[in-house]
Amino acid sequence: MAAGGDGRQGGWFGPDPGERPTEAAAPAAGGAGAPDDATEAALLRRTLAEIEPIADKVTSYFYALLFLRHPDLRALFPVAMDAQRDRLFKALLTAATHAEDTATLTAYLTGLGRGHRKYGTLPEHYPAVGECLIGALARHAPRSWGPRTEAAWVGAYTTLSQIMIDAAARDELRAPAWWQAEVVAHEPRTPDVAVVTVRPDQPYPFRAGQYTALETPWWPRVWRHYSFASAPRSDGLLSFHVKAVPAGWVSNALVHRARPGDVLRLGGPAGSMTVDHRTDNGLLCLGGGTGIAPIKALVEDVAQYGGRRSVEVFYGARSNGDLYDIETMLRMQQSHPWLSVRPVVDAGPGGALSGGLPGAVREFGPWHTYEAYLSGPPGMIRRGVDTLVGVGIPSHRIRHDSIEELVGTRN
């Protein structure tokens, strides 16, 4: 559960008196001597700047406090809390960074609120989270903490949590918290890559290019994000391309352990890497590794809409042997004259372009009239975005999976 709270019960928030640090003699940011023009957002950012060097310590203290005071909430969290601790600080940082950007903040929190339904989060859980969050911040940010800073955090938490609660309530009216999905096919492609196909227990609405959170029966409450590998199908089946990574609990279970008949759980669809069919601009698609899965879905989506817009796909991998889905992509190219597929490898012979995706993209073009889509490892996305901006594609026409969601979540 990331930061959030029940805004209708703001009076429940705040640390115990014994946890509040003694005010320093010198004026502290956010305390009685803080400048009068300090905005709420500035006070939040000062606190985060102070705790950033000790973020692991602060979040560990927060969860220890939460589970000590509210042991019934421990069942909502995975056994191993490492990734969860990271997500809490990232959520706080995102909220504080966009505190004055209402549209961006609301969109981010709405997604969190909907996503938290699959964990079993209820409105009555948020006050406990807020209480312990304030307690952890007060204990570990003595230089920036004070009455005004505490008031700023309580006010912000009240607002943020209410957005999440309202989003979850709206989502409850149209979709379940999760879907049961039976594995109907498991196709190994390489020693560490498999295509897993599932049948949801009820209709699952999504758009090509989106992704979902997935939980296996072997690691309860551990959810990982995977992109849909096709556009919506008439038979309702969903496919995912999964690469087993070292120490990856979910990915190794899906690649090496899952078999037809096993039942997984799916969260709701997320992501905005979708095609705008109101324009006929060409599509420039970069897919690295299993990131080719949503790119394949986008190609199917364009084909289903009957468009003839140009689609240029660069499919990247470390070596030719890692281009596990190249035959599928080349067959699609043969069926659609508007589609071009170029395999790209980091190094090595074999008919593919070499030097990595960014370098290969620079060799072709021009691309300034194209809509760009990227999917793959976070480093590839960062380099790809820089390359695409450099070759003239405006940033607002570059779409990709959220890097924050990708980091540490595909394992």
Side-chain angles (χ1 to χ4, degrees):
M1 195 185 323
D6 186 347
R8 295 191 177 94
Q9 303 183 59
W12 290 28
F13 305 144
D16 289 341
E19 292 180 343
R20 185 173 293 118
T22 303
E23 294 288 346
D36 291 338
D37 61 351
T39 64
E40 178 179 286
L43 295 172
L44 302 183
R45 285 192 284 267
R46 288 173 186 171
T47 304
L48 287 175
E50 183 175 355
I51 69 170
E52 186 170 12
I54 55 170
D56 288 345
K57 181 178 180 180
V58 177
T59 50
S60 294
Y61 181 84
F62 160 75
Y63 283 111
L65 200 61
L66 181 67
F67 298 154
L68 178 64
R69 293 181 176 179
H70 306 279
D72 55 307
L73 297 186
R74 184 64 181 90
L76 300 181
F77 294 85
V79 174
M81 293 292 295
D82 293 347
Q84 193 69 35
R85 284 195 292 269
D86 291 342
R87 290 193 191 105
L88 172 64
F89 186 73
K90 288 174 183 174
L92 290 177
L93 188 61
T94 300
T97 301
H98 297 289
E100 296 167 313
D101 183 351
T102 303
T104 298
L105 183 60
T106 300
Y108 173 74
L109 294 170
T110 296
L112 278 184
R114 289 198 304 259
H116 282 180
R117 291 184 59 216
K118 65 181 178 289
Y119 296 104
T121 306
L122 300 174
E124 55 264 31
H125 296 149
Y126 285 91
V129 173
E131 165 201 329
C132 296
L133 173 63
I134 298 298
L137 295 175
R139 182 180 182 89
H140 290 94
R143 293 193 306 277
S144 61
W145 203 258
R148 291 185 59 220
T149 298
E150 180 171 342
W153 275 99
V154 170
Y157 185 81
T158 297
T159 301
L160 305 184
S161 60
Q162 197 59 58
I163 294 173
M164 294 175 66
I165 290 171
D166 291 344
R170 291 191 301 270
D171 196 57
E172 187 175 7
L173 298 176
R174 66 176 186 83
W178 61 76
W179 284 254
Q180 302 280 1
E182 180 184 356
V183 176
V184 296
H186 184 278
E187 180 188 355
R189 292 290 186 87
T190 75
D192 58 0
V193 173
V195 176
V196 181
T197 301
V198 303
R199 178 184 291 110
D201 61 346
Q202 52 188 304
Y204 189 101
F206 74 99
R207 295 184 62 189
Q210 290 190 305
Y211 60 89
T212 187
L214 189 153
E215 179 201 51
T216 72
W218 305 285
W219 296 104
R221 300 184 301 281
V222 178
W223 296 80
R224 296 293 183 256
H225 294 106
Y226 293 97
S227 297
F228 301 105
S230 70
R233 297 165 47 167
S234 59
D235 59 11
L237 299 182
L238 309 172
S239 291
F240 305 95
H241 293 189
V242 184
K243 178 180 176 61
V245 299
W249 297 351
V250 175
S251 64
N252 276 283
L254 289 172
V255 172
H256 301 302
R257 188 168 182 175
R259 294 293 181 269
D262 291 331
V263 178
L264 313 176
R265 288 206 299 175
L266 307 176
S272 58
M273 199 181 76
T274 55
V275 176
D276 182 355
H277 292 286
R278 297 170 299 179
T279 176
D280 59 0
N281 288 345
L283 272 62
L284 172 60
C285 302
L286 281 64
T290 53
I292 196 62
I295 300 302
K296 175 175 172 286
L298 294 177
V299 173
E300 292 181 359
D301 192 37
V302 173
Q304 289 178 7
Y305 270 80
R308 290 296 179 267
R309 59 201 297 184
S310 173
V311 179
E312 304 279 342
V313 173
F314 289 79
Y315 177 10
R318 288 194 176 95
S319 67
N320 283 283
D322 294 321
L323 294 169
Y324 67 91
D325 211 34
I326 188 61
E327 295 302 325
T328 301
M329 299 304 299
L330 292 177
R331 284 196 298 271
M332 295 176 75
Q333 178 180 247
Q334 292 176 349
S335 301
H336 306 302
W338 42 264
L339 172 64
S340 174
V341 177
R342 297 183 178 94
V344 183
V345 296
D346 291 342
L353 300 170
S354 62
L357 284 174
V361 169
R362 293 189 193 99
E363 295 182 19
F364 297 86
W367 305 115
H368 59 276
T369 62
Y370 279 67
E371 308 286 333
Y373 296 81
L374 301 92
S375 181
M380 186 222 90
I381 291 178
R382 293 188 181 99
R383 293 190 301 272
V385 169
D386 290 342
T387 297
L388 295 176
V389 171
V391 299
I393 299 181
S395 57
H396 69 273
R397 294 215 308 267
I398 300 175
R399 301 189 183 189
H400 55 80
D401 293 332
S402 166
I403 293 177
E404 289 75 16
E405 291 287 0
L406 287 171
V407 175
T409 61
R410 291 187 185 272
N411 59 353

